[in-house]
Amino acid sequence: MIHHLKKKLKKYLYLFLGKYKYLKIRDKRKHKWYGKEYSGFFVDTELIKPEAIVYSFGVGEDISFDRELIADYQAEIFAFDPTPKSIEWLSKQVLPTSFHFFSIGIATYTGEASFYLPKNKNFVSGSSLIQENVDVADSITVKMKKLSEIMTELGHRHIDVLKMDIEGSEYEVLEQILDEELSIGQILVEFHERFIENGAKRTEKIVGKMKDKGFLVFACSDSFEEVSFVNKKIAEKMKK
């Protein structure tokens, strides 16, 4: 309780000081937190519909976010993670029939890539991006695919919810998604600006581009790392 209160107070202090002014809420919508405290995201509960198509990139060893969306909306979850620990962990779980897993990663291209494993072997998440938490001497080769190609292969022309926790690769991936103008109702992304050089500036830049493309911030976590965007055009169509 005290820890949660401290996080709230810290968030309001940052807002007062204008530290995260680029994450200003630009579209007030009904939303709910899905998943555990450190692995979840806010979801727009008005825009998501029964049997929603949800793409979940970055599974780790926690699918509470996915399970809760299945429970509330009978969502069809398409989950992706090339991390060995994640693949092993999932192989031991009893998974819902609407949870579909693929041991590939998302990138701006389709092909093979070096995937760097974490320095701390007790951690799960690796990354295709060289950043401070990975061991550049400990890598594996994994399959990566563009989102547009994944959608084509799975027969989806629209994604209701796209969730990404991809350890710093989110910036270039989001750039491509926006350039290709893929049909996505809401995008939930964890920004790892703390891992990379000029991280805050990169976050501000991509958030600005998302706004220009019609994706508006409707919620963010107390840490300002998990940020939720709504596609304004799709939201307006669903009101009619």
Side-chain angles (χ1 to χ4, degrees):
M1 181 66 180
I2 295 177
H3 174 69
H4 183 69
L5 181 59
K6 284 183 177 179
K7 287 182 69 177
K8 283 288 185 184
L9 290 173
K10 187 176 181 180
K11 179 178 182 178
Y12 290 131
L13 176 61
Y14 281 155
L15 288 173
F16 176 76
L17 296 173
K19 183 175 181 180
Y20 292 101
K21 59 184 179 181
Y22 50 89
L23 294 180
K24 177 182 177 181
I25 304 302
R26 298 190 177 276
D27 193 359
K28 294 183 178 180
R29 305 185 62 81
K30 290 183 180 180
H31 56 273
K32 176 182 174 182
W33 185 266
Y34 281 86
K36 296 178 182 177
E37 181 181 359
Y38 294 103
S39 60
F41 291 87
F42 284 112
V43 174
D44 180 340
T45 54
E46 293 182 313
L47 192 56
I48 191 171
K49 61 182 185 295
E51 300 183 353
I53 301 297
V54 178
Y55 279 29
S56 182
F57 288 94
V59 174
E61 295 178 335
D62 181 3
I63 57 171
S64 56
F65 169 86
D66 313 275
R67 288 187 185 277
E68 290 176 20
L69 285 180
I70 291 172
D72 280 5
Y73 299 99
Q74 300 78 51
E76 288 288 329
I77 306 291
F78 297 85
F80 308 82
D81 200 318
T83 311
K85 276 193 175 183
S86 180
I87 296 168
E88 181 183 4
W89 180 81
L90 280 169
S91 70
K92 299 176 182 177
Q93 307 304 307
V94 178
L95 300 171
T97 56
S98 56
F99 184 92
H100 316 281
F101 177 68
F102 305 86
S103 57
I104 62 173
I106 187 172
T108 58
Y109 58 89
T110 292
E112 293 187 336
S114 293
F115 191 81
Y116 303 97
L117 301 178
K119 289 177 182 177
N120 188 330
K121 302 310 174 186
N122 292 321
F123 291 172
V124 178
S125 300
S127 177
S128 59
L129 180 74
I130 295 178
Q131 38 98 332
E132 64 180 32
N133 280 356
V134 299
D135 183 352
V136 295
D138 187 10
S139 67
I140 59 175
T141 300
V142 301
K143 290 183 179 179
M144 310 294 280
K145 289 188 178 181
K146 293 170 54 177
L147 180 59
S148 57
E149 292 194 25
I150 293 172
M151 290 175 67
T152 298
E153 290 178 5
L154 294 176
H156 298 140
R157 301 177 68 178
H158 173 77
I159 300 171
D160 294 295
V161 179
L162 169 63
K163 184 219 83 176
M164 291 197 301
D165 180 2
I166 54 176
E167 305 301 314
S169 297
E170 60 271 10
Y171 298 99
E172 58 182 20
V173 169
L174 282 171
E175 286 271 4
Q176 184 177 70
I177 289 171
L178 295 173
D179 289 342
E180 293 191 349
E181 299 186 346
L182 303 178
S183 179
I184 303 169
Q186 48 189 308
I187 296 177
L188 323 176
V189 57
E190 179 175 348
F191 287 113
H192 296 81
E193 61 182 49
R194 63 195 184 279
F195 290 171
I196 58 179
E197 187 177 358
N198 297 319
K201 289 184 178 179
R202 292 195 68 180
T203 301
E204 183 174 6
K205 180 181 177 181
I206 193 64
V207 170
K209 183 169 182 176
M210 293 184 76
K211 177 177 175 290
D212 292 341
K213 292 287 187 175
F215 284 93
L216 306 181
V217 176
F218 70 85
C220 65
S221 66
D222 291 343
S223 67
F224 294 95
E225 293 173 358
E226 295 83 13
V227 186
S228 301
F229 300 83
V230 63
N231 186 323
K232 190 64 175 179
K233 291 181 180 178
I234 290 178
E236 289 175 349
K237 284 182 181 179
M238 291 187 69
K239 283 184 179 180
K240 298 177 181 179

